[in-house]
Amino acid sequence: MDSPQSLPPPPPSSVPDAPFWVDYSTNSITVGWPQGKKSDLYHVQMGSIPSLDESAEGKEEKEAEEKDEDGLVWTTLAQKFGSCRVKKKNLAQNTTYHFRYRVRDSIDYVSNWSLASSGFHVLGEDALVSPTPRAKESKATGLAGSIFLEWDGVAWDGVEGYEIYMRPEDGPFELIGTIKSTEVRKKNLTQDSRFYFQIRVKLADGDDRTVAKSPSSEPISPCKPVSNYVASNFPSSLLCKVPRSVKANSIPLASALPADKIILLYFSAHWCGPCRQFTPRLVQFYNQYAAKYNFEVCFVSADHDEKSFLSYYEEEMPWKAVPYDDDKREMLQAMYKVSGIPSLRVLKSDGTVIDNNATSSPLNEAAAQGWVNGGASCKKGCCH
């Protein structure tokens, strides 16, 4: 049997697709390619046509690299790279860069060189830079499979609209439309996927100013469906905690309470002594089991003023909350006839009650498992 080192080279037809553009700055370019097997490694090269000065100064070094028939000098960036994204820094303005890769395992190559990418440039220092798009967080409950985008308008002369580009996690950017407003909804996207967006300001014909595409947006996932119960009885957005910060932020209802979540309505207040004793127990339980058993706590405040509400929420709670000044806060209290606090009502996403008040039940894994099973482990009489 042939040793791994003596295996024949891959067939000529085994040519991966070209790398695609991911992002840039004034001195860097990030490219990517489709993810293969988790064990795949990549030999990555960058090609450019050196200037006369570079050719003279680096002749000996360049001779050690590969030069193709188009005059591109290919230099190796990494020989056993474990990611399908690479960022090359310290690049020059006014130079065109190409990228290619080939797949290997820990022993040998398993593909030929990919097709070379088209020519990429760093962000021009003198270019007009288009605004970066972002997720629009205040858009009602959203619709399943939709992403709402917004970006800052520009005060440049001659603006005719905005070109919108989108790419999936594993693919290149493509133009999906041109509009005149600074917000848009993209529909019919695959759930549990992530997408990236760019904007390019479109100027009037004949305007010779250079307009660069925006840097890439952060990854954005489509809205998830919400139940009729959630859509009817909760505000269009809830408060949430920003990672690495105690400050509250707003999140669309569809992202906060999607249709597959078990909901724990926590009626509590800063002034309530028993609440202040119960909250740390609930925090510990939430941090340990919420992700595993797919439940979310939603704080419904009974505080006397917004300052007390925010102090209590931001300092002690990691979950979601109904905004203090929203009418749905008092509506939820009336709907469930809350006469004493703390009260922790456990619901299915369609509003079916699993436990009328879980503050009197042990907060442990068995309880969370019971909720997932529709209340099978709730004590007799608590489920309706």
Side-chain angles (χ1 to χ4, degrees):
M1 179 181 293
D2 288 342
S3 67
Q5 289 83 353
S6 65
L7 289 174
S13 60
S14 179
V15 178
D17 292 337
F20 49 82
W21 187 96
V22 172
D23 207 353
Y24 64 178
S25 71
T26 54
N27 67 354
S28 70
I29 296 172
T30 303
V31 299
W33 50 89
Q35 176 70 57
K37 296 183 294 185
K38 289 185 177 181
S39 59
D40 282 347
L41 300 172
Y42 304 97
H43 182 180
V44 187
Q45 288 190 335
M46 180 180 72
S48 63
I49 298 177
S51 67
L52 293 176
D53 290 341
E54 290 175 325
S55 298
E57 293 174 3
K59 183 177 180 181
E60 293 182 1
E61 178 184 349
K62 296 301 182 184
E63 286 178 349
E65 301 292 353
E66 182 179 346
K67 185 173 183 178
D68 65 19
E69 63 273 15
D70 296 321
L72 291 172
V73 174
W74 291 95
T75 58
T76 291
L77 304 181
Q79 287 198 350
K80 292 185 177 181
F81 196 60
S83 171
C84 58
R85 300 287 183 272
V86 64
K87 180 177 183 178
K88 181 67 177 77
K89 301 179 180 179
N90 302 317
L91 299 179
Q93 294 275 322
N94 303 317
T95 298
T96 302
Y97 297 98
H98 301 259
F99 295 84
R100 66 182 183 182
Y101 68 96
R102 53 181 171 173
V103 185
R104 61 172 301 152
D105 55 27
S106 59
I107 299 174
D108 205 351
Y109 296 102
V110 296
S111 83
N112 289 318
W113 284 111
S114 71
L115 298 173
S117 72
S118 55
F120 300 141
H121 300 85
V122 298
L123 178 60
E125 292 177 341
D126 298 327
L128 296 171
V129 182
S130 302
T132 303
R134 57 187 177 270
K136 184 175 176 60
E137 299 289 5
S138 60
K139 196 75 174 183
T141 59
L143 295 175
S146 295
I147 286 177
F148 295 92
L149 287 179
E150 64 179 358
W151 54 93
D152 297 329
V154 296
W156 310 340
D157 293 334
V159 173
E160 292 199 335
Y162 301 91
E163 296 174 347
I164 306 163
Y165 297 81
M166 182 185 78
R167 75 171 183 87
E169 189 82 47
D170 246 7
F173 277 101
E174 294 184 358
L175 177 66
I176 60 172
T178 302
I179 64 172
K180 294 186 179 296
S181 70
T182 57
E183 61 179 68
V184 69
R185 171 188 166 198
K186 176 59 179 166
K187 300 185 290 185
N188 302 320
L189 297 174
T190 304
Q191 293 287 347
D192 299 319
S193 297
R194 304 200 305 174
F195 298 87
Y196 300 77
F197 296 86
Q198 275 186 296
I199 299 296
R200 182 180 180 276
V201 177
K202 180 176 175 59
L203 300 180
D205 292 342
D207 194 322
D208 60 0
R209 289 175 294 174
T210 300
V211 177
K213 294 177 183 176
S214 71
S216 173
S217 72
E218 295 295 319
I220 304 173
S221 296
C223 295
K224 294 183 177 181
V226 296
S227 68
N228 290 334
Y229 162 77
V230 168
S232 299
N233 296 294
F234 288 80
S236 61
S237 61
L238 297 179
L239 296 182
C240 70
K241 289 299 189 60
V242 178
R244 299 178 295 279
S245 172
V246 298
K247 294 297 183 183
N249 196 9
S250 179
I251 185 173
L253 183 59
S255 299
L257 299 177
D260 58 346
K261 287 277 186 186
I262 292 171
I263 302 168
L264 279 61
L265 288 180
Y266 183 38
F267 299 95
S268 182
H270 184 268
W271 52 263
C272 169
C275 297
R276 300 297 293 275
Q277 293 178 339
F278 180 76
T279 296
R281 291 175 49 208
L282 184 58
V283 169
Q284 183 179 9
F285 175 72
Y286 177 87
N287 289 337
Q288 190 167 4
Y289 297 117
K292 182 176 181 180
Y293 291 102
N294 197 31
F295 66 82
E296 184 58 70
V297 176
C298 184
F299 173 39
V300 185
S301 174
D303 283 295
H304 299 313
D305 56 76
E306 186 172 20
K307 182 178 179 181
S308 299
F309 157 73
L310 283 175
S311 174
Y312 188 26
Y313 177 60
E314 292 183 341
E315 292 177 11
E316 301 188 33
M317 299 180 182
W319 42 68
K320 309 301 186 290
V322 176
Y324 186 83
D325 59 357
D326 196 289
D327 292 342
K328 295 293 177 71
R329 180 178 66 87
E330 293 186 351
M331 188 202 79
L332 285 166
Q333 292 174 350
M335 177 188 301
Y336 291 109
K337 299 181 174 61
V338 177
S339 58
I341 54 175
S343 176
L344 184 65
R345 190 168 295 249
V346 184
L347 312 169
K348 293 182 180 180
S349 63
D350 64 1
T352 301
V353 176
I354 297 175
D355 194 330
N356 265 323
N357 193 356
T359 59
S360 58
S361 305
L363 290 180
N364 52 31
E365 187 166 14
Q369 287 175 330
W371 299 341
V372 171
N373 295 329
S377 71
C378 290
K379 62 185 181 181
K380 187 175 181 179
C382 77
C383 303
H384 301 277

